[in-house]
Amino acid sequence: MARHRPQPVRLPLRRLAVAGMALLLLAGCASPSRLAAVPSVSTIEAQTVIPNARFFPDRSDPAFLKEVLASSQREAAWLAKSGHTGPLAPVSYLSISGGGGDGAFGAGLLAGWTEAGTRPEFKLVTGVSTGALIAPFAFLGPRYDGVLKQTYTTVTDRDIFKKRNFSAVLFSDAMADTAPMGKLVDRYITQELLDEIAVEYAKGTLASAAIPGAFPPVMIDVTVGGVRYQEMHVDGGATRQVFMYPQNLHLGTTAAGVGVVRKRTLYIIRNSRLDPDWASVDRRLMSIVGRSVSSLIQTQGLGDLYRMYLTSTRDGLDYNLAYIPSDFRVPKKSDFDVAYMTPLFERGRQLAAAGYPWAKYPPGYDPNDALVAP
């Protein structure tokens, strides 16, 4: 039986390759423009419009240490002006993780903490992603609990982003436009709020809340030696789910060296469960990739909790962790689903109002719950 010998199909393949190259060239021509990136050797030297507005957690940055010491000096001056004498009062720090709509848990916890009457004033508040949206309001105190409740029980996907069509893969920097989120930020991050943060800063307190572009990158203009560049910033969750301060800052030793000795307490709000969500994954590329990324984010977040525990232990901070309980199983139909966020906010509020049982160790590390041989 004779077999048909297929003929080469070089011409169609060549046409396909040419068409593909044309699309790539067209995409390159139409891609959003930007100024040159900061040379790697000048990264730390780059300055934004606001001096010392951002620091690098993995690099030794003298400017950051200078800012920490200046904070202590401002606090001492404010206390002296207020007539305070005697030892320094204990201080509390707050770190709020990313989590998208799951930030409703942290917002609810803060509201319930206020109801319990045990919520402290925070000397330092940090946030990543959705945590960065919560951070300024948590920093300024209970009078902003209503803003957080409104934000995390009424905001929907359409208030955060607008989907772009498929051509965005070729012609844009993201599959969604976050202009709606920009309007939301403009509504709440007012001049009055910034002025209030400035007042607290003068007392020696600090606030770190980098509002990220959750989908498209945010281009930030910087200068090095008078030359303009642009830094491209994406969501902070790309590197950390939660953080407090660089590990190379030995806070206890540094503070004691300038005569600042006091009790320090760290509170961490993880806007996620500690156990991963179960999911049946289709045997398709995008499903597998999507599940792999979500698993990576989950485990990265757990690693952040361990790193912060080790840093806290070294520097003498009292470690406290809150997270979404594993029995919260309300289904979520979208990233910002009001039918999901509202009961999550209420669960966080109820837990805190009753006296939240803060975990003293990262997950799986509790020495009182160790597996031992029979």
Side-chain angles (χ1 to χ4, degrees):
M1 180 177 177
R3 295 181 178 179
H4 173 70
R5 184 176 180 179
Q7 296 299 311
V9 287
R10 295 170 186 162
L11 186 57
L13 286 176
R14 187 176 301 157
R15 288 176 179 170
L16 181 62
V18 171
M21 291 178 65
L23 284 173
L24 289 174
L25 290 172
L26 183 60
C29 293
S31 295
S33 61
R34 59 163 298 175
L35 296 179
V38 180
S40 60
V41 295
S42 303
T43 301
I44 293 182
E45 301 172 38
Q47 289 292 326
T48 61
V49 175
I50 304 174
N52 293 333
R54 53 97 173 99
F55 302 99
F56 297 90
D58 297 322
R59 302 190 184 192
S60 296
D61 190 343
F64 181 76
L65 178 58
K66 182 179 179 180
E67 183 65 31
V68 172
L69 296 176
S71 169
S72 297
Q73 293 168 356
R74 289 195 305 273
E75 182 182 8
W78 180 79
L79 290 173
K81 185 177 179 180
S82 304
H84 174 84
T85 57
L88 292 173
V91 290
S92 297
Y93 306 131
L94 176 65
S95 294
I96 312 170
S97 82
D102 283 340
F105 173 74
L109 189 146
L110 287 165
W113 205 350
T114 299
E115 293 178 31
T118 56
R119 177 175 165 180
E121 291 186 5
F122 300 109
K123 180 173 177 62
L124 172 65
V125 180
T126 61
V128 171
S129 196
T130 198
L133 292 171
I134 297 173
F137 307 110
F139 179 69
L140 292 176
R143 63 186 178 279
Y144 283 98
D145 287 353
V147 173
L148 288 176
K149 180 178 181 179
Q150 181 182 19
T151 302
Y152 283 95
T153 60
T154 64
V155 168
T156 64
D157 286 358
R158 71 183 65 179
D159 298 307
I160 302 298
F161 63 89
K162 180 172 63 176
K163 293 182 179 179
R164 293 170 174 164
N165 59 39
F166 185 74
S167 65
V169 173
L170 298 176
F171 301 109
S172 190
D173 55 2
M175 289 300 293
D177 179 1
T178 53
M181 186 178 72
K183 294 180 180 179
L184 188 69
V185 171
D186 287 341
R187 186 195 313 170
Y188 291 123
I189 307 300
T190 62
Q191 185 61 51
E192 180 183 0
L193 182 137
L194 295 176
D195 289 343
E196 290 186 49
I197 291 177
V199 170
E200 296 300 319
Y201 180 83
K203 299 178 184 178
T205 48
L206 299 172
S208 172
I211 307 299
F215 296 96
V218 173
M219 307 306 299
I220 298 180
D221 293 336
V222 298
T223 58
V224 177
V227 179
R228 291 182 60 212
Y229 298 95
Q230 276 189 328
E231 294 181 338
M232 180 183 290
H233 289 249
V234 297
D235 193 289
T239 60
R240 282 169 175 76
Q241 291 301 303
V242 65
F243 76 103
M244 173 47 59
Y245 54 81
Q247 288 75 49
N248 56 20
L249 171 65
H250 291 230
L251 182 59
T253 303
T254 299
V258 293
V260 179
V261 178
R262 68 198 332 173
K263 180 181 178 181
R264 299 178 177 86
T265 302
L266 170 62
Y267 295 99
I268 304 170
I269 299 177
R270 176 172 164 81
N271 291 305
S272 179
R273 299 206 309 263
L274 296 184
D275 58 313
D277 289 329
W278 182 91
S280 177
V281 182
D282 294 335
R283 192 174 177 181
R284 293 184 298 180
L285 176 62
M286 294 310 297
S287 295
I288 295 172
V289 170
R291 182 58 178 175
S292 298
V293 171
S294 64
S295 296
L296 177 62
I297 291 173
Q298 168 75 13
T299 53
Q300 178 199 48
L302 297 180
D304 293 334
L305 299 179
Y306 273 82
R307 178 168 50 244
M308 294 176 74
Y309 177 76
L310 291 174
T311 303
S312 298
T313 301
R314 182 198 66 194
D315 293 345
L317 277 68
D318 179 17
Y319 180 96
N320 297 270
L321 169 65
Y323 52 88
I324 298 175
S326 59
D327 62 353
F328 182 81
R329 295 290 180 178
V330 176
K332 180 166 61 174
K333 297 180 181 179
S334 64
D335 292 328
F336 292 86
D337 178 7
V338 171
Y340 170 85
M341 294 190 299
T342 300
L344 180 57
F345 176 95
E346 185 60 20
R347 185 63 181 279
R349 187 197 67 78
Q350 291 175 350
L351 286 170
Y356 192 87
W358 296 90
K360 307 301 294 184
Y361 305 95
Y365 190 77
D366 188 345
N368 300 314
D369 189 27
L371 293 175
V372 295

